[in-house]
Amino acid sequence: MTTIDISGAGKYAEFGESMEKRAFAAHERLESGEPFTGWLHLPSRADESETRRVFEAADRIRQSSDVLLVIGIGGSYLGARAVTDVLCPPPGNSGTQLVFAGNGLSGAYTDRLLRYLEDRDFSINVISKSGTTTEPAAAFRIFERLLERKYGAGAAKRVYATTDAEKGALRSMARERGYESFVIPDDVGGRYSVLTPVGLLPIAAAGADAAGFLKGAAEAELSLGANDMSNPAHKYACVRQAMYEDGKKIELLAVWEPTLRYVAEWWKQLFGESEGKEHKGIFPASLEYTADLHSMGQYIQQGERTLAETFLWCEPTGKAEVPFDENDGDGLNWLAGKKADEINRTALEAVKRAHIDGGVPCLEINMGPPDARSLGGLLYFFELSCALSAYVSGVCPFDQPGVEAYKKNMFKMLGKP
Ligand code: PA5
């Protein structure tokens, strides 16, 4: 179960009754059935027959394909990438390999991927809620050609479309071309969709425990249901807003395992798109420790004091330890016999103390072991905390009107009719 320690937030840990009341009102609002709150009870109300169909499709992909090409952008790929990076990290992952496209417009990357897929058996999971987003639509057109060239009439059987039930070009194409398709519920927005087929199909196809992931989220839904201050999501939302309102404009999410990097990327999108509007919002940034202590550590310790930091910790699983060396040429025998993970944890304690002393309030989120259940719980915890935090700051967590501005310019420049 995800836990949070806010003792390192100093005075902000005492956010006061009026902040608590704002969080209670936010939770009530979420439970009142506002638009786009379908994710709130998604884990416990998941349609079992639909979930089974997702897992059956995943089995078929695993039998027929070395690679599943996941085409999507933003909320349509980050969740699956986050979960599978933790549960099926290379090297040593024997499942179907996930590769991602449609999350950018680089021609060089596309060329490399086309070459890579040429000699491999692959299927495509194209994911777009709107069914009209330019980046995945362009990528799908490119990679579908390769699929058709390789598999001829059998190509359509290798395309899995995840999109809106009715609307959008992708839904129409799925109908016309006979792709197997999955629905993103109307009341679940992109960045809150990891527990729908958007996340579940690629996660299961990669060989990860998608059922365990869903179960972990259902457990979190139950344990985070209370509208009171025992709820860790309330604590996180309240302390964030208390820090923000006192000038801590940037939150750094620091992970201590490289496999959690994409969890931080997913978190950034969730919080950034949900809160950054109406000229408000904490800027979410991420770091990978201890690597980034040697690049960003100086700024964090002594730069502008607008930072708050949240450590994301998972229980260690590594066996590696520093060996004893008779010659001790590197003078490192004082560390001999210590596990790498033990040193990593000590580094966390040391960094926390240093950053707090330097004026950076520090929170710590412990997700438990890096397994499917914990990840389900963690991502649900973040979704709930984020929606509460956005409501507390007075913005709608479920829209992203600002994303249209670049699209308008780009369409005009490219001559879209
Ligand atoms: O959270 C969101 O709604 C967005 O980030 C979307 O996920 C992203 O823009 C992709 O949209 P779509 O799934 O419609 O292609």
Side-chain angles (χ1 to χ4, degrees):
M1 198 178 108
T2 304
T3 57
I4 185 163
D5 174 7
I6 62 170
S7 59
K11 63 179 180 182
Y12 304 114
E14 307 294 327
F15 34 76
E17 246 179 65
S18 85
M19 184 67 81
E20 289 181 13
K21 279 193 187 140
R22 286 159 70 188
F24 298 150
H27 204 143
E28 263 171 38
R29 199 167 159 194
L30 277 181
E31 289 287 4
S32 72
E34 293 235 327
F36 287 103
T37 51
W39 55 272
L40 191 62
H41 294 296
L42 194 64
S44 64
R45 295 180 193 162
D47 175 344
E48 274 179 33
S49 67
E50 203 45 17
T51 307
R52 211 171 312 120
R53 198 165 68 81
V54 169
F55 292 169
E56 282 162 9
D59 283 344
R60 278 200 303 285
I61 292 169
R62 287 166 63 68
Q63 278 153 24
S64 66
S65 308
D66 305 321
V67 176
L68 176 64
L69 180 65
V70 180
I71 297 181
I73 195 163
S76 287
Y77 94 100
L78 281 167
R81 174 92 204 242
V83 173
T84 54
D85 269 17
V86 178
L87 301 180
C88 323
N93 169 32
S94 56
T96 293
Q97 187 198 4
L98 298 192
V99 293
F100 296 87
N103 53 4
L105 290 162
S106 158
Y109 176 76
T110 308
D111 289 352
R112 277 201 303 280
L113 209 47
L114 282 166
R115 282 198 296 275
Y116 183 75
L117 292 171
E118 188 74 47
D119 305 325
R120 288 172 171 83
D121 273 321
F122 76 102
S123 297
I124 295 178
N125 181 197
V126 53
I127 308 170
S128 177
K129 171 140 189 187
S130 61
T132 53
T133 307
T134 310
E135 291 91 335
F140 182 51
R141 194 180 266 211
I142 293 168
F143 287 100
E144 197 193 24
R145 286 280 153 87
L146 175 63
L147 203 65
E148 283 166 355
R149 195 153 52 71
K150 279 179 74 124
Y151 300 103
K157 287 260 163 291
R158 287 177 172 266
V159 177
Y160 299 82
T162 307
T163 187
D164 187 86
E166 300 294 337
K167 295 187 297 284
L170 185 55
R171 172 54 59 198
S172 315
M173 282 159 68
R175 276 199 203 105
E176 280 158 25
R177 302 181 191 179
Y179 306 147
E180 174 150 16
S181 67
F182 298 94
V183 170
I184 309 172
D186 268 353
D187 55 357
V188 180
R191 58 192 173 276
Y192 294 83
S193 69
V194 63
L195 291 153
T196 73
V198 169
L200 296 178
L201 179 58
I203 290 169
D209 177 11
F213 175 64
L214 207 48
K215 189 164 181 226
E219 287 163 355
E221 179 193 324
L222 204 66
S223 70
L224 300 176
N227 192 358
D228 60 42
M229 288 317 296
S230 68
N231 189 330
H234 278 236
K235 282 193 193 139
Y236 186 36
C238 287
V239 76
R240 289 179 89 248
Q241 288 302 323
M243 295 190 295
Y244 175 66
E245 289 172 14
D246 195 44
K248 303 298 179 197
K249 304 286 185 198
I250 298 166
E251 182 182 9
L252 308 166
L253 185 75
V255 301
W256 292 79
E257 280 295 332
T259 54
L260 288 174
R261 179 169 160 214
Y262 265 85
V263 171
E265 294 297 323
W266 174 88
W267 170 92
K268 276 197 293 205
Q269 190 219 347
L270 179 69
F271 280 82
E273 263 188 4
S274 298
E275 293 192 313
K277 51 198 73 160
E278 298 177 30
H279 296 173
K280 293 196 230 179
I282 303 168
F283 184 82
S286 64
L287 297 163
E288 222 179 291
Y289 284 164
T290 59
D292 284 333
L293 290 170
H294 297 261
S295 57
M296 298 304 292
Q298 170 59 38
Y299 188 105
I300 298 163
Q301 193 65 46
Q302 295 180 332
E304 201 182 352
R305 301 298 71 188
T306 45
L307 306 175
E309 196 168 30
T310 300
F311 295 142
L312 176 57
W313 179 255
C314 66
E315 277 169 23
T317 56
K319 294 191 181 65
E321 66 175 45
V322 179
F324 180 78
D325 188 296
E326 295 240 322
N327 298 324
D328 197 23
D330 51 11
L332 209 64
N333 272 351
W334 60 279
L335 274 181
K338 282 216 190 306
K339 287 190 161 180
D341 280 336
E342 195 184 333
I343 306 171
N344 204 23
R345 179 69 214 185
T346 309
L348 182 148
E349 302 293 348
V351 170
K352 194 192 262 187
R353 202 170 298 171
H355 288 181
I356 291 171
D357 289 347
V360 179
C362 289
L363 315 178
E364 185 178 334
I365 292 171
N366 187 332
M367 64 175 278
D371 60 20
R373 266 171 81 174
S374 304
L375 276 167
L378 177 74
L379 299 199
Y380 185 87
F381 163 80
F382 277 140
E383 287 179 353
L384 179 59
S385 307
C386 176
L388 291 174
S389 178
Y391 273 153
V392 167
S393 88
V395 299
C396 171
F398 308 122
D399 61 4
Q400 54 283 327
V403 182
E404 296 311 307
Y406 96 89
K407 292 185 191 169
K408 254 200 218 155
N409 291 345
M410 183 175 78
F411 293 154
K412 200 167 165 202
M413 290 169 188
L414 288 170
K416 183 179 177 183

